[in-house]
Amino acid sequence: MNIYSICPTFESEKFTVRLLRDEDCDDLLKVYSDKNALPFFNSDNCNGDIFFYATKEKMSETIGFWKTAYDNGWFARLSIVDRSGSGVIGTVELCLRVSEDAFNHMGILRVDVRSDYEREDFLYEIFSLITPELEEILGCKGVLTNR
């Protein structure tokens, strides 16, 4: 399976992780304008973007970029949906790192959530949904993460 051909959906009792959608904008604005969540966002190799978006316009523009990145096979950005009705509470970024160092062909897994979801039990459930599938969907030999 190639994540850029068919993006899988991951589901647990509490969360659904699925490909980002335009209609996620309002919920994602709550995530990326959350100053308490900002210190946990990893912006390595993101050209100076710190992932703080204070307006709906900026969030919408960013979603457009993320969708373009997916269409071009650069990385996949998936939304994390709280199945209890709390909407989209964060994102997962997945990509394959191609480099000339020891981390060549490692999967990159970034998880950004609202600060009220920055809890070990929630993060464990999200990571447990995705990590077993990474070798198959990314073709990686291991995983690097921001946690």
Side-chain angles (χ1 to χ4, degrees):
M1 179 188 300
N2 178 330
I3 194 168
Y4 301 109
S5 298
I6 300 172
C7 188
T9 297
F10 307 94
E11 292 184 305
S12 69
E13 186 175 317
K14 179 122 182 93
F15 299 108
T16 297
V17 179
R18 48 108 175 119
L19 192 59
L20 176 89
R21 300 177 186 158
D22 289 329
E23 57 264 26
D24 298 341
C25 187
D26 289 339
D27 286 342
L28 287 176
L29 181 58
K30 293 174 190 171
V31 175
Y32 290 101
S33 65
D34 181 346
K35 291 182 181 180
N36 293 322
L38 185 62
F40 298 102
F41 299 162
N42 181 322
S43 58
D44 293 349
N45 300 311
C46 294
N47 299 321
D49 189 343
I50 61 167
F51 295 94
F52 182 77
Y53 311 125
T55 67
K56 186 172 180 173
E57 293 75 25
K58 182 61 179 165
M59 189 74 250
S60 181
E61 177 185 312
T62 300
I63 289 170
F65 171 72
W66 290 341
K67 290 173 75 177
T68 298
Y70 178 78
D71 292 342
N72 287 290
W74 302 333
F75 60 83
R77 184 70 68 151
L78 291 76
S79 292
I80 306 166
V81 181
D82 182 332
R83 296 180 71 172
S84 71
S86 296
V88 176
I89 56 89
T91 66
V92 170
E93 181 185 318
L94 301 171
C95 67
L96 181 66
R97 187 173 193 277
V98 179
S99 63
E100 297 294 326
D101 60 22
F103 300 109
N104 188 35
H105 280 61
M106 296 291 282
I108 303 292
L109 169 61
R110 298 180 195 208
V111 176
D112 298 338
V113 294
R114 274 188 347 227
S115 60
D116 54 326
Y117 283 82
E118 194 65 50
R119 295 180 17 188
E120 184 177 351
D121 57 335
F122 291 155
L123 294 170
Y124 180 82
E125 187 167 342
I126 293 164
F127 276 77
S128 295
L129 275 171
I130 299 163
T131 53
E133 308 299 325
L134 287 180
E135 184 177 341
E136 181 180 348
I137 64 174
L138 291 177
C140 60
K141 62 180 183 181
V143 179
L144 302 171
T145 186
N146 64 333
R147 299 286 177 193

